[in-house]
Amino acid sequence: MKTRALTVSLAVLAVLLLVAGACGSDEDAVAPEPPAAAPAAEPAPAPEPPAPASEPAPAPEPVAEPPAAPEPAAAPPPAAAGVPADAGRFVYASPFPWVDLDPSSAFSAEHLVLQNVYETLTRFNPPGSAELLSPGLATSWESNEDATFWTFNLRDGVTFHDGAPFNAEAVRASLQRTIDLGLGAAFIFLPVESMEVVDDLTINFRLLWPAPMDLVLSSTFAAYIMSPDSVTQDATWFNDGNGAGTGPYTIASLSPSENVILTAYEDYWGGWSDGQFSEVEMRLVEDPVLAEQLVRSGDADFTFNLPFDVYPALETDTDLSVVRGVSMTNLFGMLNNVRLSPEVREALVLSFPYEDVVNNLYGGEATRATGPIPRTIWGSLDDSNLPQTDLARAAATLEAAGVSDLTLTYSYDVGEVEQEQIGEVWKALLATIGVELVLEPLTWDARWAIAQGDPAEAQDIYTMFWYPSYVTPTDFLYSLYRSEELPFFGLSYYKNPEFDALLDTADATSGTDTDAAAEMFRQAQQILVDDDVAVFMLDVPAVSVIRSDIEGYVPNPAYANVVWFYDLRRS
Amino acid sequence: MDPSDRLPPPSRFGLRGLPRRRGLPGVAGGAGGDAGHPARRLGAPGSSVWYFRRSRLGMGAAGVALVFVVAAIFAPWLTPFADAGRGVPDLSVRLQGPDGTYWLGTDDLGRDMLARLLFGARTALIVAVGVVALSVVIGVTVGAVAGYFGRWVDEVLMRITDTFLAFPPLLLAVLVAAALGASLRNTVIAIAVSWWPWYARQVRAQVLSLQRRPYVRAVQAIGVPSHSIIVRHVLPNAMAPVWVQATADLGAAVLTAAGLSFVGLGPRPPTADWGVMIAEGRQYVLSGQWWIAGFAGIAIVVAAMSFNLIGDVVRDVTDPRTRGEG
């Protein structure tokens, strides 16, 4: 009975499809990028302790103020020599790829890896800490009265992964490489006039204008120190998985579209003790549903950036902790200043469903953006002039400008559920005033490449998350809105000499007079708001998920989504 | 076995022969070489239609398919939530379970699932018909030309066809869809690109056997132009298995298109699409909102199965050896 056989096989096929869909099978046969399914080799799970309640969110408004006076002094942790007792492998599921692992130029999501391999002279503390900064490779530092001359005393007994000793010359050479390349976040060193190696463990920074150098050197990007040999290499070499830092982990293997394997560096200056992880897999998992399943099943220990609708269900799972922290990340839609007239940009800003999105999406955890800078960072605008959705005015603006039959493209990350939901809600609103919004979901690499091409041919609206390199208003304004010869992250393609000048002055002032600088930063932001260079959508809540048997994870908004694996233990 | 063997050889009946077997009613006979032959009444006893009507399975499947087609065509008038069907969100009623107002619940943007499914039927129907039509047009043209002219024409065309056949159809569709970019039109093109070779091979085999028949030789001898011979005399007799295949392929097209949409290669949001609904509904299944992916999955199963069953029954009733089994 051919008929019956066919019918049955078809039914089976159809049911399989249903099951695959309904159950969210990750191994769908047609997935173009099948995720690596190698189960993590994990020791038999220890008896589960009662799940600790998710970390209490730190006070909601610990605004990171600029440093008042640098006065750190902390003894280096006792260095316990030896090989770490094997706590097994920690699996970090990252929704974002690592595009460029060169520590000088990396400026996207590579910090998730690099922060564990390389170290910086200082580290910004999580909110609620007594001090603003912790010692890193520097143990103490001081500056002159007007913050134009800085001296850093370096940690003794530190070695690079390739065996070379860590010293002041290595610091100078690393930072000089970053400055010379001038890529990524190298702009944070613009104030640096020269570096002087005083002795093996002392380095001076002479600045062109006052700057909080201790804060600059805590940067998420560009401030990494690498070995003398690594300094002489190029980006290709780093992207092959090479590179020697001083961090607790080294890159054992690298497969850009799949994973990075990190192994413990035995001679790490901080020493090792029982219960730490000797191996870490950072796995690229772009599908949030798959990431959710991996942490649920224990095949991954940590992930973030899941759709916010799933967190309530995850909170009921005692094997998981949903961790909420302060966020310095915001989401905005950059408006193409080359393609869109001021009137169209104004209409777009007026048409965005701010309240709808904040109230209904992101599980109600997002906050309205006051402007280009998240409200948790000093120098941000206040709530007094929040943009309001006003479709009538938007329509009138378009009509007055004689614009009709407008079709605009909205470029967003495929798999970013909320960005798509936002796009669909916005599209429906724009349709009521005769504007057609075409949603263009693409992978980050693909859409970034398009956006860096000819602005006249690029997207109209480009959604982006931003988190600071070091905690300063400059970072947001400089990277995103300062005039660029060739577009990098300035995907509004905005050029305004007046804004540039004001920003530069504000930055130069921030080293000495914080209040005056903050005022100038606000003026600069107001220019951006008045020019409608972007739709400032919201400040993104910082939520991540970690297996509850993992101890030691403290979210740090200054280093978005970084997990320092060295701090972790499995109980 | 050459499928053309199922057809009574026209040579036996001559150029204006006795009733030729037909694939689907009114298709093969209409443009065929039997002009002037009194058309048999549709559904007369002994005809394929008559057998099809006697098949409960066939009629049941046809009924379901009809519901599907009607839903697709009249979607805006069948639901009070036509705007939601077109993609307009209402965030105040996100993720509501099935109830008296929203019979099948609402999705993550507060859109009525029933309305989304009805509009999704439109997408599915457009894709299914588009894919099959495009595949048949390309495949039949290539197959007929290759089979009729033979020699180097046949060699060239069939090697091209083989090249396409060398790829697994779904993989090829994914490749093409990824290269063209996600849109409804590109979904149709992507699937058709991977499917037309099957029609080309089928038609070529038919034409090869037909073009040596005396009745074709006869029209060639009269001096009828080649294109006219292909279109008027050869193809009508070669098409029966194509129509059977096409009917069954409608269901497969729905499935394949859903698969492409599922991996993000289908129409862009907010176009209602069953595959996209499953993909987007996946994340909600674990947290208890099963109705988004669940109902979309059921819709795909039902639509795909009904077309496939029709295809099966049509094949059976057009084949004397399996007649009446359905």
Side-chain angles (χ1 to χ4, degrees):
Chain A
M1 296 283 286
K2 243 189 290 178
T3 310
R4 191 91 7 113
L6 262 165
T7 308
V8 168
S9 56
L10 176 77
V12 169
L13 191 68
V15 168
L16 277 181
L17 183 98
L18 172 63
V19 170
C23 300
S25 163
D26 49 56
E27 301 298 330
D28 200 89
V30 289
E33 289 179 90
E42 272 180 326
E48 228 73 77
S54 54
E55 301 278 336
E61 67 286 326
V63 175
E65 290 292 348
E71 43 172 314
V83 185
D86 196 354
R89 172 188 268 207
F90 185 88
V91 180
Y92 180 108
S94 169
F96 302 129
W98 18 90
V99 182
D100 175 16
L101 285 169
D102 183 329
S104 291
S105 57
F107 197 27
S108 187
E110 297 82 9
H111 66 302
L112 304 175
V113 178
L114 298 179
Q115 281 287 330
N116 286 286
V117 177
Y118 300 90
E119 292 181 297
T120 50
L121 295 194
T122 59
R123 189 185 282 183
F124 196 88
N125 286 332
S129 308
E131 300 285 341
L132 193 67
L133 297 167
S134 292
L137 290 174
T139 51
S140 64
W141 53 90
E142 59 194 9
S143 75
N144 64 355
E145 192 73 1
D146 59 359
T148 52
F149 186 86
W150 291 75
T151 299
F152 286 78
N153 299 310
L154 305 179
R155 194 176 292 281
D156 197 5
V158 176
T159 55
F160 288 103
H161 302 153
D162 58 9
F166 165 78
N167 54 28
E169 177 52 30
V171 173
R172 193 204 61 77
S174 296
L175 299 184
Q176 194 60 52
R177 177 180 191 269
T178 302
I179 291 168
D180 290 345
L181 284 174
L183 300 169
F187 64 87
I188 64 175
F189 296 120
L190 282 178
V192 176
E193 185 188 7
S194 64
M195 290 176 278
E196 296 149 16
V197 175
V198 179
D199 59 40
D200 233 20
L201 296 176
T202 314
I203 185 167
N204 290 337
F205 290 82
R206 196 177 296 281
L207 306 187
L208 292 164
W209 58 81
M213 208 57 210
D214 52 348
L215 198 52
V216 169
L217 288 169
S218 76
S219 172
T220 310
F221 299 102
Y224 299 111
I225 308 302
M226 62 200 99
S227 79
D229 174 56
S230 301
V231 165
T232 64
Q233 306 290 346
D234 63 2
T236 317
W237 185 77
F238 284 102
N239 286 315
D240 286 339
N242 300 307
T246 59
Y249 290 90
T250 61
I251 296 178
S253 75
L254 166 70
S255 165
S257 58
E258 198 176 313
N259 64 6
V260 177
I261 306 287
L262 303 178
T263 51
Y265 172 49
E266 285 183 23
D267 296 328
Y268 180 58
W269 59 267
W272 293 92
S273 58
D274 286 350
Q276 287 179 288
F277 289 95
S278 59
E279 188 173 78
V280 174
E281 178 186 3
M282 303 190 71
R283 195 186 303 175
L284 178 61
V285 184
E286 286 174 310
D287 178 2
V289 180
L290 175 56
E292 181 194 349
Q293 284 180 331
L294 290 176
V295 286
R296 272 179 184 271
S297 65
D299 289 330
D301 296 296
F302 176 93
T303 193
F304 64 99
N305 213 47
L306 295 180
F308 280 76
D309 286 318
V310 311
Y311 288 120
L314 291 181
E315 276 171 334
T316 63
D317 187 334
T318 54
D319 290 337
L320 300 173
S321 295
V322 177
V323 183
R324 294 187 164 78
V326 174
S327 166
M328 293 182 181
T329 304
N330 58 2
L331 176 71
F332 41 89
M334 306 192 86
L335 303 179
N336 187 327
N337 278 245
V338 173
R339 286 170 59 89
L340 306 177
S341 67
E343 293 81 8
V344 171
R345 299 201 306 269
E346 184 185 349
L348 285 172
V349 170
L350 285 169
S351 67
F352 188 79
Y354 303 96
E355 290 292 337
D356 252 7
V357 165
V358 166
N359 293 339
N360 296 296
L361 304 179
Y362 289 91
E365 297 186 48
T367 42
R368 290 282 307 271
T370 58
I373 299 175
R375 57 179 79 212
T376 45
I377 291 182
W378 68 278
S380 52
L381 293 171
D382 60 21
D383 274 350
S384 58
N385 277 315
L386 284 182
Q388 301 300 333
T389 312
D390 189 340
L391 281 177
R393 248 182 79 202
T397 307
L398 288 179
E399 200 182 333
V403 177
S404 59
D405 292 332
L406 202 54
T407 302
L408 304 175
T409 53
Y410 171 89
S411 167
Y412 67 99
D413 293 307
V414 66
E416 280 288 336
V417 175
E418 284 85 9
Q419 287 184 20
E420 178 166 308
Q421 290 172 334
I422 287 171
E424 292 195 45
V425 175
W426 198 6
K427 178 188 173 87
L429 282 188
L430 283 172
T432 64
I433 59 169
V435 177
E436 190 190 349
L437 191 64
V438 178
L439 307 194
E440 279 186 342
L442 288 170
T443 60
W444 169 262
D445 335 9
R447 70 196 200 94
W448 195 21
I450 292 170
Q452 288 176 334
D454 180 5
E457 302 291 322
Q459 76 294 329
D460 294 304
I461 303 165
Y462 192 96
T463 61
M464 206 194 297
F465 291 119
W466 195 261
Y467 32 84
S469 53
Y470 72 100
V471 181
T472 167
T474 309
D475 184 74
F476 285 79
L477 303 178
Y478 191 99
S479 309
L480 298 169
Y481 305 110
R482 201 179 187 283
S483 311
E484 287 179 327
E485 272 311 301
L486 292 169
F488 191 66
F489 276 123
L491 304 179
S492 290
Y493 317 111
Y494 180 63
K495 288 193 168 70
N496 182 349
E498 184 200 353
F499 169 81
D500 295 351
L502 185 55
L503 175 61
D504 293 347
T505 316
D507 188 43
T509 314
S510 66
T512 45
D513 187 345
T514 313
D515 291 341
E519 188 46 43
M520 280 187 261
F521 280 127
R522 289 193 193 98
Q523 287 172 14
Q525 291 175 77
Q526 199 56 49
I527 294 176
L528 300 178
V529 170
D530 293 343
D531 282 355
D532 299 307
V533 298
V535 176
F536 305 111
M537 297 174 174
L538 46 92
D539 292 353
V540 182
V543 186
S544 46
V545 183
I546 193 164
R547 299 284 298 175
S548 17
D549 60 348
I550 304 290
E551 291 170 353
Y553 171 58
V554 179
N556 188 335
Y559 307 91
N561 305 308
V562 167
V563 174
W564 285 283
F565 305 117
Y566 181 74
D567 297 344
L568 305 182
R569 281 175 170 72
R570 196 188 293 279
S571 64
Chain B
M1 181 193 299
D2 187 336
S4 63
D5 287 355
R6 293 183 193 163
L7 299 178
S11 56
R12 248 194 281 160
F13 303 104
L15 192 55
R16 302 159 69 99
L18 286 169
R20 263 203 306 279
R21 296 285 324 293
R22 293 159 196 181
L24 281 178
V27 174
D34 58 348
H37 182 82
R40 271 170 60 167
R41 195 167 57 79
L42 206 61
S47 71
S48 299
V49 172
W50 185 79
Y51 275 108
F52 187 90
R53 281 203 182 147
R54 281 164 47 101
S55 156
R56 259 180 296 169
L57 186 64
M59 289 308 283
V64 174
L66 187 68
V67 170
F68 164 71
V69 172
V70 167
I73 295 173
F74 298 101
W77 295 278
L78 292 175
T79 167
F81 302 105
D83 278 344
R86 291 190 190 92
V88 178
D90 178 0
L91 294 180
S92 61
V93 290
R94 299 184 70 212
L95 300 171
Q96 309 247 321
D99 62 21
T101 313
Y102 306 105
W103 292 357
L104 303 182
T106 62
D107 68 7
D108 59 323
L109 291 172
R111 298 177 294 212
D112 180 55
M113 274 303 296
L114 180 55
R116 293 292 282 169
L117 288 178
L118 289 173
F119 278 79
R122 296 192 136 183
T123 313
L125 188 68
I126 291 170
V127 172
V129 173
V131 165
V132 170
L134 197 55
S135 304
V136 166
V137 168
I138 301 173
V140 168
T141 308
V142 171
V145 170
Y148 185 81
F149 292 105
R151 289 197 300 247
W152 66 269
V153 179
D154 186 33
E155 279 298 319
V156 171
L157 289 177
M158 280 303 113
R159 292 303 78 76
I160 294 173
T161 309
D162 288 346
T163 313
F164 280 88
L165 282 172
F167 293 93
L170 190 58
L171 184 65
L172 184 61
V174 166
L175 282 175
V176 175
L180 293 177
S183 80
L184 189 58
R185 190 195 59 184
N186 292 345
T187 304
V188 172
I189 294 174
I191 304 177
V193 161
S194 58
W195 282 14
W196 69 265
W198 305 90
Y199 290 96
R201 298 252 300 210
Q202 201 163 31
V203 169
R204 172 178 171 273
Q206 295 281 24
V207 171
L208 267 185
S209 71
L210 287 173
Q211 62 127 356
R212 295 189 197 95
R213 305 280 158 91
Y215 85 102
V216 177
R217 293 277 156 80
V219 281
Q220 283 171 338
I222 302 170
V224 178
S226 299
H227 63 87
S228 186
I229 298 175
I230 295 176
V231 172
R232 290 180 52 86
H233 302 286
V234 177
L235 274 187
N237 289 308
M239 288 299 280
V242 169
W243 296 122
V244 174
Q245 180 73 36
T247 317
D249 278 355
L250 285 173
V254 170
L255 265 184
T256 309
L260 287 184
S261 313
F262 180 81
V263 297
L265 295 172
R268 295 177 193 194
T271 307
D273 181 281
W274 295 342
V276 173
M277 285 181 218
I278 290 188
E280 290 180 354
R282 279 185 317 152
Q283 68 174 87
Y284 296 102
V285 173
L286 290 175
S287 46
Q289 291 101 357
W290 53 269
W291 51 86
I292 304 172
F295 287 127
I298 291 171
I300 293 173
V301 171
V302 171
M305 277 191 74
S306 61
F307 279 123
N308 272 277
L309 288 175
I310 294 174
D312 281 357
V313 175
V314 166
R315 188 198 50 226
D316 290 347
V317 299
T318 51
D319 185 344
R321 287 164 302 185
T322 52
R323 259 186 189 174
E325 278 183 19

